[in-house]
Amino acid sequence: MKSAAEYLEAPVFYLTYPTGEEAENVPVVAYDEAVRAIESALADAAEYKYFLLRALRRQATPEAEIAPATEATVRPLFPTDDNQELAA
């Protein structure tokens, strides 16, 4: 997996004041280069997601996929206006 800096193929500049002095070492990248880097990272993330889901499907046991449905009663935590006896 790549690091965030590896997606940037463009030169990185440092922000400077008009006097030529560096301003707080803030790296600056062109907007188009940043968009390309983000699109590349998202494409890699989709590929990693595909590989991960495929591996999980292969590791799934048949018993886990066919788990019996259990019915449970659902009761509200707080009484409603119609049913004040639920508080007990």
Side-chain angles (χ1 to χ4, degrees):
M1 206 163 146
K2 291 182 179 180
S3 69
E6 291 175 332
Y7 286 105
L8 285 174
E9 298 173 4
V12 177
F13 303 101
Y14 286 93
L15 186 63
T16 58
Y17 291 118
T19 60
E21 183 180 344
E22 284 190 5
E24 302 173 11
N25 275 342
V26 179
V28 178
V29 179
Y31 179 79
D32 293 335
E33 297 298 329
V35 169
R36 271 191 228 115
I38 290 171
E39 288 171 350
S40 176
L42 289 175
D44 284 352
E47 184 178 349
Y48 291 135
K49 177 183 172 187
Y50 168 75
F51 287 138
L52 176 64
L53 291 177
R54 188 174 74 174
L56 288 175
R57 278 194 300 267
R58 288 183 179 177
Q59 296 296 322
T61 60
E63 297 85 28
E65 293 175 4
I66 310 174
T70 58
E71 292 188 25
T73 58
V74 178
R75 295 184 0 190
L77 294 175
F78 301 102
T80 60
D81 291 338
D82 300 336
N83 254 341
Q84 291 298 324
E85 67 271 2
L86 289 178

